[in-house]
Amino acid sequence: MVRTVEWRALAADVLRILAVAVAYYATGQAGLLLSIVVDGAMVTPLWPPTGIALAALLWFGLRAWPGITLGAYMNIEHLASFEPGDAGLLLGNTLAPVCAYLLLRRAGFRTQMDHLRDALALVFLAGLPAMLISATIGTGMLVATGDLPPSDFWPVWAAWWAGDAMGVLLVTPVLLILPQVTPPADAYRAAEALALLVTCGLVTTVACRSSLSVLFLVFPLLIWAGVRFQHVGGAPCALLVSVIAISAAIDQAGPFADHTLFEIMVNLQALNGSAALTVLLLSALVTEQNNIRLRIEQVCEDLSEVVERLAPRRNGTDD
């Protein structure tokens, strides 16, 4: 009986690892579709596999790391034959999300992201500093193997770091809020959610394709999403804004036209980063305040019941 339970646990772990690997590989292929090619250079402003990797670690613990390594290997093998020097890429792609997970666990991160400190930890522990590991190791290996001239180290390093960081800030929240998604309680709220999503898509498309500098128009919509729907509405809207903006940058349309690769990446990642920060911090703050209000209301109700029990009866039979 004990051996059967152990085999079932082992089989469950293997299935989780394979599921993480498949998800990592599939989102990696999707990320490559969002690559920007300017003057012969290819960069990926959003690398979703880092978001998949961190979410898997938060759900399953460190047992999920082989799936990350396997998924990274499959992505490398899809692009070119695996060589010994690519082992450094596997190391960086695995070590970065593992370090991000350990930092979040050390900080007491909650996957519900219902406190402002959770959003701050995701941004300033997992998203920005931890992804320096993958960017540094990966770019360093490309230079060491001769696949990248040393003069191009810093531009590629910056693009690599930004893409991995955006994967954490934009993809991980969407995955973490999936268990919290429930059908709207009434038709009005469902209509509002649909209107928000459609409006966000249309306004972002116009802002990213217009020759005018109107990218700021997306932020009122992100604020709307964060205030009214918190992470459940804000995280998908931020990801939608990012995908539409990357598509416009690939086509060098609107505010991304007639710019160098560096200028395109600065404009694009400034928008993506600002969108992610706006939604994460505002949604967490509103959720925390709502939870405090609910707790206060519950305490008031409990206190009212206690007062009613202790108050003397007025029918002449005082206790």
Side-chain angles (χ1 to χ4, degrees):
M1 180 65 180
V2 175
R3 185 171 298 177
T4 301
V5 173
E6 291 178 351
W7 276 107
R8 288 179 179 176
L10 179 61
D13 287 340
V14 171
L15 289 177
R16 291 191 191 99
I17 289 172
L18 293 178
V20 171
V22 171
Y24 192 102
Y25 172 74
T27 54
Q29 298 307 302
L32 292 175
L33 297 177
L34 300 176
S35 300
I36 299 177
V37 180
V38 181
D39 297 331
M42 183 178 72
V43 294
T44 306
L46 174 63
W47 187 239
T50 55
I52 294 287
L54 182 56
L57 290 168
L58 290 170
W59 283 335
F60 308 129
L62 289 176
R63 292 175 295 179
W65 76 262
I68 300 171
T69 304
L70 179 58
Y73 169 80
M74 293 165 61
N75 276 319
I76 295 174
E77 185 68 24
H78 178 81
L79 294 174
S81 298
F82 188 84
E83 298 180 358
D86 294 331
L89 302 181
L90 293 182
L91 176 63
N93 288 338
T94 304
L95 191 59
V98 167
C99 289
Y101 164 73
L102 294 176
L103 288 172
L104 289 179
R105 191 175 67 172
R106 180 74 174 175
F109 177 80
R110 293 164 49 90
T111 56
Q112 297 88 346
M113 295 185 294
D114 53 359
H115 289 80
L116 181 59
R117 64 191 301 270
D118 297 325
L120 292 173
L122 186 66
V123 174
F124 296 106
L125 291 180
L128 300 181
M131 295 305 112
L132 295 172
I133 298 173
S134 55
T136 303
I137 294 178
T139 311
M141 289 303 302
L142 292 179
V143 172
T145 56
D147 295 328
L148 181 71
S151 59
D152 292 338
F153 175 87
W154 289 112
V156 173
W157 176 88
W160 194 315
W161 171 68
D164 283 358
M166 290 304 106
V168 170
L169 299 184
L170 293 169
V171 177
T172 298
V174 173
L175 297 175
L176 293 182
I177 57 94
L178 286 179
Q180 307 174 33
V181 176
T182 57
D186 55 75
Y188 172 79
R189 192 159 179 82
E192 182 184 4
L194 180 60
L196 170 63
L197 188 63
V198 173
T199 304
C200 186
L202 292 176
V203 171
T204 304
T205 300
V206 172
C208 292
R209 298 281 174 174
S210 172
S211 58
L212 301 176
S213 299
V214 291
L215 290 177
F216 60 87
L217 291 178
V218 304
F219 290 99
L221 298 174
L222 295 176
I223 294 173
W224 176 15
V227 171
R228 291 289 294 156
F229 298 95
Q230 289 80 62
H231 293 294
V232 174
C237 284
L239 182 59
L240 177 63
V241 167
S242 176
V243 171
I244 294 175
I246 292 173
S247 175
I250 292 174
D251 298 336
Q252 299 186 48
F256 305 105
D258 303 323
H259 289 292
T260 64
L261 173 60
F262 176 77
E263 293 169 342
I264 290 175
M265 288 298 297
V266 168
N267 290 336
L268 180 61
Q269 298 299 28
L271 174 63
N272 290 343
S274 299
L277 285 173
T278 298
V279 165
L280 280 173
L281 301 183
L282 181 60
S283 297
L285 183 60
V286 172
T287 301
E288 185 173 14
Q289 295 301 315
N290 287 342
N291 290 339
I292 293 174
R293 177 179 56 81
L294 291 175
R295 286 197 293 269
I296 293 175
E297 291 177 354
Q298 184 62 47
V299 169
C300 291
E301 291 179 3
D302 295 341
L303 182 59
S304 176
E305 292 179 1
V306 172
V307 171
E308 288 180 0
R309 292 194 187 120
L310 296 179
R313 297 180 182 177
R314 301 194 178 187
N315 57 5
T317 58
D318 294 348
D319 291 341

